Amino acid sequence: MHEYTSTARVWGLTCPGFPEEVSRARRWTRDILRDSPLAEDAELIVSELSANAILHTASGREAGSFHLALAMSSQVVALSVTDGGGAGTAPKVEHRDQEAEHGRGLGMVSAIAHRVVVHDSDGGHTVTAELFTDVRRGGHPC
């Protein structure tokens, strides 16, 4: 009997909801993707999504946390951040002007990523940004 083996690899990390954990999330992403041409874009995306979880959800409250997942295959790098909920509304992409002090993070993520998806997840939300390794597969180039 042959076993099915996937070429995709998946990593996960749960971080306490402290602001300094955003830099830890960036380093973690950079370490995993150190040989990938998508590493810088992925690092920026993880930074924005982690900061949003801490700033806008229960992840940033006492005893709060957020979870990162990174999945990589030959076709895509998928970066997900799951927050602790309590925001009242789902995160949404807004394209604000450059002078705005807040609300530009997901807009920036959507400009970098080829696809951004928001899902309800255990009382919170999971935001997943995908970077295609071959831009001919769809989406816009990074």
Side-chain angles (χ1 to χ4, degrees):
M1 183 164 126
H2 294 101
E3 279 191 350
Y4 173 77
T5 55
S6 173
T7 58
R9 297 191 62 197
V10 179
W11 293 263
L13 176 69
T14 299
C15 297
F18 303 123
E20 57 270 19
E21 293 297 312
V22 173
S23 62
R24 177 180 175 208
R26 280 194 310 263
R27 283 191 311 274
W28 179 80
T29 303
R30 184 176 51 239
D31 288 347
I32 293 169
L33 296 174
R34 67 182 155 268
D35 297 326
S36 171
L38 300 174
E40 286 184 26
D41 287 342
E43 191 177 340
L44 179 60
I45 288 168
V46 163
S47 181
E48 285 298 322
L49 297 181
S50 299
N52 282 351
I54 292 169
L55 290 171
H56 302 296
T57 74
S59 294
R61 296 182 193 148
E62 186 174 337
S65 64
F66 61 96
H67 183 77
L68 292 110
L70 190 156
M72 182 171 52
S73 73
S74 59
Q75 295 86 25
V76 67
V77 171
L79 308 146
S80 299
V81 173
T82 301
D83 64 43
T89 61
K92 62 181 178 256
V93 176
E94 296 181 281
H95 297 284
R96 300 211 175 168
D97 67 39
Q98 293 180 352
E99 305 302 317
E101 291 184 26
H102 300 287
R104 297 184 331 210
L106 275 181
M108 183 172 58
V109 168
S110 73
I112 296 169
H114 295 100
R115 182 167 59 173
V116 177
V117 180
V118 178
H119 294 284
D120 291 340
S121 180
D122 296 327
H125 296 92
T126 298
V127 180
T128 301
E130 296 177 349
L131 297 168
F132 299 142
T133 57
D134 181 356
V135 294
R136 292 175 290 177
R137 293 182 56 81
H140 48 79
C142 296

